[in-house]
Amino acid sequence: MGSRLFYVCQPFAKMRCWAYIGPMCGRSVLTTPIDAMAQLFDAAPANAMPEVPNYNVCPTTDVPVVLGKQESRRQMVAMRWGFIPKWYKAPNDGPLLINARAETIAEKPAFRTACRERRCLLPVDGFYEWTKGPDGARLPYYFSRKDGAPLVFAGIWQPWGPEAMRSCAMVTVAANETMAAVHHRMPVILEPEDWPLWLGEAGKGAARLMKPAAETVLKCHRVDPAVNSNRAKGPLLIAPIAA
C-alpha cells in the first residue's frame, strides 16, 4: 500500500498533525547492554552480537534475537533485520520484509511456516515513528515503555541460503489509541508472562498474543529530525524537543 495522509487529533490532547502512513517501525534503539538483556531473558548470548548502544538501528543490520529454550536455557543470537524468504536468490531479490502483519501471517507463503515453527523475541529499548506535517516535513517521534523496561516485540525468523544466514521480522497489528495518533499499525508487544507461549515453551495458543498493547504501556515524544537520516548517531537522537 502506498503512503497516504490522514488527519488525527486524539489521543494527543489538543495536538493536530497529519499522520504519515508508511512502513511500520523502520528504526529502533538499543541501549541495554547485551549481558543485561541476556540476563533478563535467562538466555545464553552468542559470542558475536550487535554493538550497544545504538540509537539508530536500521533494517538489514544485525539485531539481538531471543530463541526458545534448548535444553535448559534460551539462546540470544544476532540476526539480520529483514526476513528473507527461502525462494529469494539474493537477500535483495525482493521487497525488504521488516515486519509481518498478524492478520495474514499464517497465510502468506513467506511467513506461514515461520509463524508456526520459528517464533522469537526482538528486544529493543525504543523505536521511532513519523508523522508528516501539512508542509510535507517528516516529524519523528520516539516510543518507549512508560515503566522504563525494554520493549519486547513478537518476531519470526528464517534461515536462508547455503550458509543458513538467519533473518527476522517483527509482527504488527492494528494500532491502539495511543499509537494511532502517529501510525495505524504497531508492533506486537509481549509482556514477560507471554514470552514462554510465544516461544513455544508453553504449549499452543500463541495466536491470541497478536493484539495491540494496553494503552498504559507506551509513551512517546517528539525528537529532532536528525534521525530522519539513517547515518545519524548518538543519544541526542532520542532527546525530547518541543512539538
Side-chain angles (χ1 to χ4, degrees), residues 83 104-117 156:
F83 192 94
T104 57
I105 192 172
E107 305 166 5
K108 294 291 185 182
F111 303 134
R112 62 192 178 197
T113 301
C115 79
R116 293 194 305 268
E117 302 176 2
I156 55 174

Side-chain angles (χ1 to χ4, degrees), residues 77-157:
V77 300
M79 291 191 190
R80 177 190 189 266
W81 180 19
F83 192 94
I84 308 174
K86 288 184 177 295
W87 58 83
Y88 278 24
K89 296 179 180 179
N92 60 352
D93 194 35
L96 179 60
L97 306 177
I98 64 172
N99 52 50
R101 295 173 66 95
E103 297 87 343
T104 57
I105 192 172
E107 305 166 5
K108 294 291 185 182
F111 303 134
R112 62 192 178 197
T113 301
C115 79
R116 293 194 305 268
E117 302 176 2
R118 293 185 297 275
R119 297 191 297 272
C120 60
L121 306 178
L122 305 177
V124 302
D125 288 280
F127 66 94
Y128 301 101
E129 199 52 73
W130 284 261
T131 64
K132 202 167 188 178
D135 60 354
R138 297 186 71 214
L139 310 176
Y141 284 78
Y142 178 65
F143 286 82
S144 59
R145 286 190 67 107
K146 288 182 178 180
D147 61 12
L151 285 161
V152 180
F153 298 155
I156 55 174
W157 69 278

Side-chain angles (χ1 to χ4, degrees), residues 7-138:
Y7 186 75
V8 295
C9 60
Q10 293 293 336
F12 298 160
K14 301 181 181 179
M15 171 185 167
R16 294 185 176 184
C17 62
W18 289 91
Y20 174 65
I21 301 301
M24 173 73 236
C25 189
R27 239 67 88 57
S28 62
V29 171
L30 186 64
T31 59
T32 301
I34 293 297
D35 287 346
M37 195 75 80
Q39 185 175 4
L40 176 66
F41 296 102
D42 189 23
N47 291 329
M49 294 297 296
E51 291 187 6
V52 175
N54 186 342
Y55 292 89
N56 197 359
V57 181
C58 301
T60 74
T61 60
D62 284 352
V63 295
V65 175
V66 178
L67 304 178
K69 289 181 180 179
Q70 297 180 6
E71 296 180 354
S72 60
R73 296 192 71 187
R74 295 170 179 148
Q75 305 296 309
M76 177 176 278
V77 300
M79 291 191 190
R80 177 190 189 266
W81 180 19
F83 192 94
I84 308 174
K86 288 184 177 295
W87 58 83
Y88 278 24
K89 296 179 180 179
N92 60 352
D93 194 35
L96 179 60
L97 306 177
I98 64 172
N99 52 50
R101 295 173 66 95
E103 297 87 343
T104 57
I105 192 172
E107 305 166 5
K108 294 291 185 182
F111 303 134
R112 62 192 178 197
T113 301
C115 79
R116 293 194 305 268
E117 302 176 2
R118 293 185 297 275
R119 297 191 297 272
C120 60
L121 306 178
L122 305 177
V124 302
D125 288 280
F127 66 94
Y128 301 101
E129 199 52 73
W130 284 261
T131 64
K132 202 167 188 178
D135 60 354
R138 297 186 71 214

